[in-house]
Amino acid sequence: MPKIKAPARSPHIDMTPMVDLFSVLLIFLLLTASFRPSEVTPIEAPNSVSEKQAPDHDIMTILISKDSLVFFNIDNGADTTTHFRSKLLEKMGEQYKITFTPKELEKFGKLATFGMPIKDMKAWLNATESKERDKYQKGVPTDSTDNQLAWWVRMARLTNLSAEVALKADAETPYMVVKKVMDLLQDNKVNKFNLVTNLMKEEVKISDLPPAQ
Amino acid sequence: MAELIVEEKGKKGGKRRPKKHSTRIDMTPMVDLMCLLITFFMLTTAFSKPKVMVITMPEKNNSDQLKNAPQIAAIRTLNILLTGEDRVYYYMGMADPKKPPLPTLEKSDFSKDGIRKVLLLRNRDLFTKIAQYRDDRVKGKFVVADTTAENEIKKLKKEDRKGPIVLIKADKLAKYKDIVNIIDEMAICNIASYAIVDMSPVEADMLKTAPK
């Protein structure tokens, strides 16, 4: 009688379900990942012990670079249908008598941090290459004669009522420049600031207390 | 790990069959790549959130508040003057040109034994209370939610009547990081009340003559 041979099993494992699962995970992570947007200017934030996290939406960020240039950024809000950025630009256009086309408004909605006098805004929006765009980033004017930053803040407050303010300044920025911006914000009834910092742990225990004198 | 395709050598001579290729594709490299990508995304998404330090300033130009502005005891007042280059000066009390002599400025810095020691020494009671509370919570002597613990610490700070009232004043030479550093020290030392205020001309003069 011939022996019954067990069919030779291939040592392969079917990886298809695993690949399926991985694909789903990968696509999910790809879509949800919020990439750090390329900054207009390198900013080295100061260190602090604060562990509070910045809110991810409804936040307007004012960046102050080492050489005291001011940049502005606001997000579109939690909901994709709100289009806060486009609305903000429209309001600014009305304020400064500049008409932006719907296409320009839409493009502004997709861009991030900006810093230029409002008259250069159109050129910035219509620049096709990012290098060309970067040369317009000269900072929002903040002098008392032409305080465009104040208008940006005011209009942003009107556009998104729940927007908080984050201040991201370089550690080496003169304090007077930051103070000027803070004063301007307080004039617009912003009294709560989120100062963006890097976390650096530091702790003092009871045992470290200096002896009483 | 590629699959070996073992060619069946012609048995019995006879008909030549076209080679049979396996229909399987080796997915191992693809899986490897995906693993890498997934790990990469998982790690980068979690870390990209910046940290913030929240400060709330009193409302400006509020006549109601100005009228009821809190009168603070000069004895408890600790003035900190910032003037850049990591230099910190401090004095107790008030610098009033009408009431000489003017207090002398003490020099300090942002190191561990600098201004922190000064603050801890004066805020000893409150600091011990809060640190004790935090320690007990970590050790598990009682279990409370984060918000409850925060409120409890806030209450401790509010009840404090001994600690210093710190007035932070920065001049034109001060850098942004000086302000952040000093507010940070307030957080580390659990100072109950502090404020950022403008420097008076008297204090600016005092800084000019202060030892470098």
Side-chain angles (χ1 to χ4, degrees):
Chain A
M1 239 173 65
K3 260 187 199 167
I4 300 169
K5 258 192 190 169
R9 287 227 172 185
S10 125
H12 280 270
I13 308 158
D14 188 14
M15 287 204 211
T16 330
M18 183 166 144
V19 171
D20 288 355
L21 190 75
F22 275 15
S23 309
V24 169
L25 261 177
L26 189 62
I27 290 167
F28 170 75
L29 287 171
L30 255 176
L31 291 180
T32 52
S34 55
F35 288 99
R36 208 176 289 192
S38 60
E39 295 290 351
V40 276
T41 169
I43 284 180
E44 189 68 46
N47 298 324
S48 88
V49 291
S50 175
E51 284 178 46
K52 200 174 174 287
Q53 290 213 320
D56 31 315
H57 46 75
D58 288 338
I59 190 151
M60 59 171 122
T61 316
I62 297 174
L63 293 100
I64 308 171
S65 76
K66 218 189 221 165
D67 34 6
S68 310
L69 295 180
V70 180
F71 300 90
F72 190 84
N73 191 12
I74 187 168
D75 64 312
N76 271 321
D79 204 329
T80 42
T81 55
T82 43
H83 300 298
F84 284 137
R85 284 182 70 100
S86 308
K87 280 182 201 158
L88 170 64
L89 187 64
E90 212 177 337
K91 280 193 185 145
M92 280 305 275
E94 277 166 31
Q95 174 66 29
Y96 283 95
K97 312 234 166 7
I98 301 170
T99 346
F100 292 99
T101 61
K103 215 177 157 189
E104 282 165 341
L105 291 177
E106 199 197 320
K107 188 155 185 205
F108 182 74
K110 285 179 190 149
L111 291 165
T113 314
F114 61 91
M116 73 276 306
I118 189 91
K119 66 176 170 51
D120 287 347
M121 181 58 82
K122 250 183 193 297
W124 181 64
L125 287 172
N126 291 322
T128 42
E129 272 181 59
S130 62
K131 256 193 191 160
E132 198 186 332
R133 204 178 289 145
D134 282 347
K135 77 175 187 232
Y136 292 108
Q137 303 267 29
K138 288 178 290 198
V140 181
T142 52
D143 4 310
S144 46
T145 45
D146 179 25
N147 201 335
Q148 293 184 5
L149 181 69
W151 276 108
W152 279 110
V153 172
R154 209 165 296 162
M155 289 309 180
R157 296 274 283 169
L158 288 174
T159 317
N160 184 354
L161 298 174
S162 53
E164 278 189 40
V165 174
L167 258 181
K168 188 175 178 188
D170 194 284
E172 296 297 326
T173 318
Y175 170 62
M176 282 302 142
V177 179
V178 183
K179 187 175 155 43
K180 206 168 109 186
V181 173
M182 278 163 121
D183 283 345
L184 179 153
L185 285 165
Q186 287 208 293
D187 290 338
N188 285 297
K189 302 266 180 280
V190 182
N191 289 313
K192 187 185 161 202
F193 308 104
N194 296 290
L195 306 181
V196 178
T197 54
N198 292 326
L199 179 64
M200 197 176 66
K201 280 249 175 195
E202 212 156 326
E203 229 178 331
V204 181
K205 295 198 183 68
I206 300 182
S207 50
D208 301 336
L209 268 178
Q213 281 168 346
Chain B
M1 277 190 273
E3 201 171 337
L4 284 176
I5 302 164
V6 187
E7 214 180 297
E8 280 178 47
K9 285 268 156 125
K11 288 167 197 164
K12 293 179 191 172
K15 284 177 207 163
R16 274 202 157 230
R17 282 188 192 168
K19 271 188 231 162
K20 256 196 182 174
H21 280 285
S22 160
T23 46
R24 280 201 203 184
I25 309 159
D26 187 13
M27 289 200 207
T28 333
M30 184 169 152
V31 172
D32 288 356
L33 192 74
M34 277 187 167
C35 277
L36 264 180
L37 279 174
I38 286 176
T39 353
F40 168 76
F41 277 114
M42 279 189 164
L43 292 179
T44 48
T45 44
F47 283 121
S48 62
K49 264 195 149 186
K51 299 277 185 287
V52 290
M53 182 163 119
V54 181
I55 57 165
T56 313
M57 305 276 258
E59 219 172 298
K60 258 187 167 184
N61 310 324
N62 192 330
S63 53
D64 256 16
Q65 262 187 346
L66 276 180
K67 251 183 252 164
N68 307 325
Q71 296 287 318
I72 52 174
I75 291 177
R76 276 177 69 193
T77 316
L78 174 65
N79 297 268
I80 296 181
L81 309 182
L82 303 169
T83 176
E85 290 161 30
D86 279 344
R87 282 184 296 152
V88 183
Y89 293 93
Y90 67 91
Y91 70 88
M92 293 297 292
M94 222 164 61
D96 193 344
K98 284 174 209 153
K99 287 183 211 156
L102 287 175
T104 43
L105 290 182
E106 305 278 344
K107 192 175 184 279
S108 185
D109 52 43
F110 282 117
S111 73
K112 225 175 161 185
D113 292 322
I115 194 74
R116 188 178 302 168
K117 211 170 171 182
V118 177
L119 289 167
L120 281 176
L121 209 64
R122 288 177 169 73
N123 200 32
R124 210 186 167 79
D125 281 4
L126 179 64
F127 181 84
T128 325
K129 263 188 221 162
I130 293 176
Q132 193 69 50
Y133 181 82
R134 284 208 183 115
D135 268 10
D136 287 354
R137 188 168 169 246
V138 171
K139 277 181 197 147
K141 282 192 185 165
F142 47 86
V143 180
V144 286
D146 280 358
T147 43
T148 326
E150 259 170 49
N151 286 336
E152 195 63 37
I153 288 169
K154 258 186 208 159
K155 214 176 103 195
L156 282 174
K157 280 187 180 171
K158 217 172 179 179
E159 284 166 357
D160 179 64
R161 290 283 172 272
K162 274 191 194 157
I165 297 163
V166 183
L167 299 180
I168 301 164
K169 300 163 191 190
D171 74 353
K172 280 182 187 135
L173 296 170
K175 295 270 165 37
Y176 173 61
K177 72 166 177 218
D178 295 326
I179 283 284
V180 173
N181 275 342
I182 202 78
I183 299 174
D184 217 27
E185 290 298 329
M186 301 296 137
I188 294 171
C189 301
N190 293 327
I191 301 288
S193 37
Y194 58 90
I196 303 171
V197 291
D198 291 334
M199 195 181 278
S200 70
V202 187
E203 283 161 329
D205 282 344
M206 279 160 70
L207 265 183
K208 270 180 208 152
T209 51
K212 288 245 163 177

